[in-house]
Amino acid sequence: MDMQDIIIRKRDGGVLSPAEIRFFVDGYVREEIPDYQASALLMAIYFQGLDRGETMELTEAMRRSGDTVDLSSVPGIKVDKHSTGGVGDKTTLIVGPIAAACGVPVAKMSGRGLGFTGGTVDKLESIPGLRTTLEPEAFMKQVRETGIALIGQSGHITPADKKLYALRDVTGTVENMSLIASSIMSKKLAAGSDAIVLDVKCGRGAFMKSQEDARRLAQIMVDIGADAGRRTIAIITDMSQPLGDAVGNALEVQEAIHVLRNEGPEDITELSVEIAGAMIYLGGRVRTYEEGAYVARQALVSGAGLEKFRALITAQGGDPLVCDDPSILTVSPSECDVIAQETGYIRQIDAEQIGIASQHSGAGRATKEDSIDPGAGILLHVKVGDHVSKGDVLASVFSSGRKKADAAAEQARKAYIIDKKKPEKPTLIKEIVGK
């Protein structure tokens, strides 16, 4: 095959064959195809798009480019969960234990954060002693015995995606639906679970700004799952304001524990029950989607989800006492409050601005090499629709030093708009694709 012919065919709107897509992916991973030709094909795809068959072939080629996880030794229907990213999104720490408490095996590999806040692995590592690296057999053994393991991504998973994403990032070709969907789903398929629940965010703090775009992305990923023989459901959710009250790492673990104690904020609790319910449904533990949410709620109220989180922490070497006293988790010492400058109703809390502020506090990374401050972050005291008076504290920023805390608080102030008229609260769960 000739790479130039492949580029021209896609440039002119043609459909690439499975063999051509495999030739491109395999050749680029082996460094037989130069960056300039790969960039040219990515730009052609960006403008001409991929059809359903091409999207599936690209996903499969990336999945096969490295290691894949074999979960066949774990009995039951294994269900994975993925979020397209958000500010204050600590749902994995909540829904994994709830689903596992209801009999769904959860064998999840998560990444570190880049940008606004830490990833699930960074959050877990704020728990004293907890290990996020396990050998493959120890990982499987823990899932078999405990029902859940949450670890960092290990091995050589989807190297094609890593190389192609880095190239897309510097060539202006990130924002193509098929390329985004293939990137996400290649990793989910390589992780070996039997079914997948996707939380697709939309709004100011999300990659997909509109519900329509989120729906399009969700449908493509659900189609990929179906074509790969994996039952897949996508829940489209609002990210116009941060999820929950905590943004950071230790702060978010504290909030996750509060949710599992049935004492958490309404929005993160609602979303966690919905996602865990979808996992329970796909895991075959109930007959309907709606029954899954009911069972998830019961596991939350009864404390079964919290006990499963305790078992997870213990199995991975962490201090389980955090489940009884979340204040064990260290929060950074310098605090600066964001003060309301007028009286009225909170009309907007720009999730993106809060995310940037949390990064300034030390809770996020600008590059993969950066270290994070696990105790840094922001605690919100009000949400959209709440009434405030001039002088009220809107949020508290925590950082390792006063200068960083002040800078992050100044950034956080930009997120708030206060109005005399009470706004409607945003709808958190917008629609479900693939149910």
Side-chain angles (χ1 to χ4, degrees), residues 86-89 201-206 237-245 247 267 346-352 354 380 382-386 415-416 424-428:
V87 180
D89 186 358
K201 306 289 190 186
C202 63
R204 287 280 300 171
T237 63
D238 176 71
M239 188 40 70
S240 58
Q241 66 175 331
L243 184 62
D245 297 337
V247 182
D267 59 348
I346 302 294
R347 179 160 69 86
Q348 177 179 293
I349 307 174
D350 189 315
E352 186 172 17
I354 293 293
L380 308 180
V382 295
K383 302 292 288 240
V384 169
D386 290 348
Y416 291 87
E424 288 187 14
K425 291 189 176 183
T427 302
L428 179 60

Side-chain angles (χ1 to χ4, degrees), residues 380-403:
L380 308 180
H381 301 303
V382 295
K383 302 292 288 240
V384 169
D386 290 348
H387 186 271
V388 296
S389 298
K390 184 176 180 179
D392 284 353
V393 178
L394 304 178
S396 299
V397 176
F398 300 89
S399 191
S400 58
R402 186 71 195 185
K403 188 175 180 181

Side-chain angles (χ1 to χ4, degrees), residues 110-383:
S110 295
R112 297 189 181 278
L114 180 61
F116 293 158
T117 56
T120 298
V121 169
D122 300 305
K123 297 180 194 355
L124 285 168
E125 287 180 350
S126 69
I127 299 173
L130 191 139
R131 300 184 307 272
T132 59
T133 301
L134 295 176
E135 291 299 319
E137 186 46 48
F139 176 62
M140 302 295 180
K141 183 173 184 286
Q142 183 175 316
V143 179
R144 287 193 298 267
E145 295 180 354
T146 308
I148 183 171
L150 300 178
I151 64 169
Q153 223 173 59
S154 58
H156 195 52
I157 300 286
T158 59
D161 175 61
K162 293 182 179 68
K163 282 179 65 72
L164 287 171
Y165 188 87
L167 193 60
R168 287 164 57 207
D169 195 37
V170 296
T171 56
T173 53
V174 169
E175 297 92 344
N176 173 274
M177 294 285 185
S178 290
L179 294 177
I180 295 168
S182 292
S183 174
I184 292 170
M185 292 301 288
S186 63
K187 293 189 283 286
K188 292 294 102 180
L189 297 178
S193 286
D194 304 306
I196 304 162
V197 177
L198 303 165
D199 178 8
V200 182
K201 306 289 190 186
C202 63
R204 287 280 300 171
F207 191 70
M208 296 292 133
K209 303 303 180 187
S210 72
Q211 186 175 340
E212 180 182 355
D213 283 347
R215 183 188 303 117
R216 287 177 56 212
L217 177 62
Q219 188 63 62
I220 294 170
M221 292 193 290
V222 167
D223 289 344
I224 291 172
D227 292 346
R230 314 285 176 91
R231 293 188 68 190
T232 305
I233 287 176
I235 303 170
I236 300 175
T237 63
D238 176 71
M239 188 40 70
S240 58
Q241 66 175 331
L243 184 62
D245 297 337
V247 182
N249 294 288
L251 288 171
E252 291 192 35
V253 175
Q254 287 180 342
E255 183 165 272
I257 292 168
H258 288 310
V259 173
L260 288 168
R261 291 163 66 166
N262 202 27
E263 300 168 351
E266 181 181 346
D267 59 348
I268 181 69
T269 301
E270 177 189 356
L271 180 56
S272 297
V273 167
E274 190 82 15
I275 294 173
M279 295 174 72
I280 294 163
Y281 168 59
L282 291 184
R285 310 305 296 185
V286 295
R287 291 171 295 177
T288 67
Y289 182 94
E290 291 72 21
E291 190 182 352
Y294 174 81
V295 170
R297 174 74 68 177
Q298 295 303 111
L300 180 68
V301 172
S302 71
L306 178 65
E307 290 312 304
K308 188 60 71 171
F309 191 47
R310 188 193 304 274
L312 164 70
I313 292 170
T314 302
Q316 293 183 211
D319 184 352
L321 288 178
V322 298
C323 294
D324 304 306
D325 182 10
S327 67
I328 289 173
L329 298 169
T330 302
V331 176
S332 297
S334 291
E335 180 179 350
C336 183
D337 291 334
V338 179
I339 305 298
Q341 303 300 307
E342 57 188 306
T343 296
Y345 293 93
I346 302 294
R347 179 160 69 86
Q348 177 179 293
I349 307 174
D350 189 315
E352 186 172 17
Q353 293 296 331
I354 293 293
I356 293 168
S358 75
Q359 186 173 342
H360 289 342
S361 76
R365 295 181 178 86
T367 70
K368 289 182 179 179
E369 291 72 33
D370 289 348
S371 60
I372 62 169
D373 175 1
I378 301 172
L379 196 59
L380 308 180
H381 301 303
V382 295
K383 302 292 288 240

